[in-house]
Amino acid sequence: MRYLLFTVLAFLLAGQLSMAWGANKQEKRLTKSTEVFQEIMDTPDKGIPIDLLARAACIGIIPSVKKFAFGFGGRHGAGYVLCRKNRGKGPWGPPSGFSMSGGSFGLQLGFSATDYVLLFMNLGGVEKLLGNKFTLGADASVSAGPVGRTVGAATDAQMSAKILGYSRSKGLFAGLALEGAVLKPSSGDNQSLYGRKISARELLLEGEIAPPASAEPLLQTLTQHSSLQTQTAPTVAKVTAIAQPAVATQATTGSISGTVSDSTGAVVSDAIITIRNVETGMSRTVATDAAGRYAAFQLEPGSYEGTAEAVGFQTVVRRQITLTDGHEAIMDITL
């Protein structure tokens, strides 16, 4: 009887130790994911465009994917996918664990570690992601994502892709069409992170689960860098650092804002608005929110033109928008 009692206690203790170890492992991975994303966004003129982050329905961050090649090659890593609440339109929701794997063949030799970031531009790709096996490029179109502060250099293929891929290896960050990689939900990681069995669908699409405290730094970092207002922050910081009164500087800039709708009057969210100063060539790119609104701040006075693009609509160009000191020009667009 004593032996049986000892065995049960040992089993329970082992289970508790295993759960504690698993939770600690997830906390470290969340910390690493936060660091990777922050470092990528801090890369001068090479980060992920804020416009795209503001439009993305979900994001996948897979830090330090190990690639090995000793005769036959392969790769494996684990990280998280997070989706916006309210069907991709609200604030960032709780993370769900995912693994990444993929193989390669041929005579190879070596080992490396790469960080990956995936932007899911709509929930269509995420629905397929929730299956037992999701192959990038086969189950959803994937393109190398553009880099920079805005999406001004994005191609048509990039703008229409369901998923945009990025990678960082040995300090170099670039867009990458990660075709052939396999993503799978990790129920074990979720159980370790949340202390109970919970599906990726509950976390990513239903959005009613509260995120663990260890995920708060990642959520805050994502929120900070996916706000359209973030792109004006560096300019504001420079203005306030100048010895001259900030009010005098603010009076020399203006803003252009408005709404985008279709011919029926329905608002168009996720439309890309490029505002260009026809005299200086300077351009600013923003995206409409869930209510079809957009705004571009800290614009120099002058003559502007605006170009509106959205999937399924013809491109519309508005010209001869005059912006004066301290003025807010309204530019509503119908696609």
Side-chain angles (χ1 to χ4, degrees):
M1 188 68 177
R2 287 183 179 179
Y3 177 78
L4 178 61
L5 180 60
F6 176 79
T7 301
V8 171
L9 291 174
F11 179 78
L12 292 175
L13 179 60
Q16 291 178 343
L17 290 174
S18 177
M19 289 181 62
W21 180 84
N24 183 258
K25 180 179 179 181
Q26 297 306 312
E27 290 177 4
K28 290 182 178 179
R29 187 175 291 160
L30 280 167
T31 299
K32 181 63 176 178
S33 298
T34 305
E35 292 173 350
V36 164
F37 182 74
Q38 181 67 62
E39 290 169 2
I40 286 173
M41 297 307 296
D42 286 343
T43 305
D45 300 321
K46 288 287 186 179
I48 301 171
I50 294 172
D51 317 63
L52 288 180
L53 286 171
R55 295 176 54 213
C58 305
I59 186 171
I61 304 174
I62 318 292
S64 194
V65 174
K66 305 299 189 295
K67 183 178 181 181
F68 53 90
F70 297 96
F72 292 96
R75 61 184 163 211
H76 182 76
Y80 303 95
V81 173
L82 302 90
C83 290
R84 295 181 183 275
K85 298 180 180 180
N86 300 329
R87 302 296 296 176
K89 303 298 183 182
W92 292 104
S96 178
F98 273 79
S99 66
M100 173 186 283
S101 60
S104 57
F105 300 93
L107 185 60
Q108 305 171 61
L109 181 66
F111 177 87
S112 64
T114 304
D115 305 316
Y116 292 102
V117 176
L118 301 170
L119 296 187
F120 296 82
M121 303 313 296
N122 56 58
L123 291 179
V126 178
E127 289 281 2
K128 295 182 179 180
L129 179 67
L130 297 175
N132 291 328
K133 181 179 178 181
F134 176 87
T135 304
L136 293 170
D139 294 317
S141 61
V142 57
S143 293
V147 298
R149 295 195 178 278
T150 68
V151 295
T155 65
D156 290 341
Q158 289 169 330
M159 294 303 296
S160 61
K162 290 184 178 180
I163 304 172
L164 296 173
Y166 296 89
S167 71
R168 186 183 68 162
S169 180
K170 298 180 180 179
L172 298 177
F173 176 70
L176 175 70
L178 197 62
E179 296 190 5
V182 176
L183 291 175
K184 295 177 63 177
S186 179
S187 57
D189 287 346
N190 284 344
Q191 185 169 358
S192 297
L193 185 59
Y194 293 90
R196 61 187 177 91
K197 289 185 177 180
I198 186 168
S199 70
R201 179 172 292 276
E202 291 177 273
L203 293 167
L204 300 182
L205 294 188
E206 297 178 12
E208 300 298 328
I209 307 299
S214 55
E216 285 301 323
L218 178 56
L219 290 169
Q220 291 174 7
T221 304
L222 282 173
T223 301
Q224 174 190 351
H225 289 288
S226 59
S227 170
L228 289 176
Q229 303 302 323
T230 305
Q231 59 185 313
T232 66
T235 303
V236 174
K238 290 180 181 178
V239 169
T240 56
I242 296 174
Q244 300 297 326
V247 174
T249 304
Q250 291 174 353
T252 63
T253 63
S255 64
I256 296 177
S257 61
T259 60
V260 178
S261 58
D262 62 19
S263 58
T264 68
V267 299
V268 179
S269 60
D270 297 334
I272 298 299
I273 313 299
T274 302
I275 298 170
R276 188 177 72 88
N277 187 314
V278 297
E279 298 163 353
T280 66
M282 183 280 298
S283 65
R284 178 79 55 81
T285 303
V286 295
T288 55
D289 60 17
R293 297 187 297 265
Y294 72 92
F297 303 100
Q298 300 290 321
L299 299 175
E300 296 181 0
S303 178
Y304 284 83
E305 67 177 21
T307 303
E309 301 173 278
V311 177
F313 295 92
Q314 290 187 340
T315 300
V316 173
V317 179
R318 290 280 306 276
R319 295 184 172 86
Q320 297 181 343
I321 302 140
T322 301
L323 189 62
T324 57
D325 292 355
H327 177 61
E328 178 185 6
I330 304 299
M331 183 177 71
D332 295 329
I333 300 174
T334 301
L335 297 179

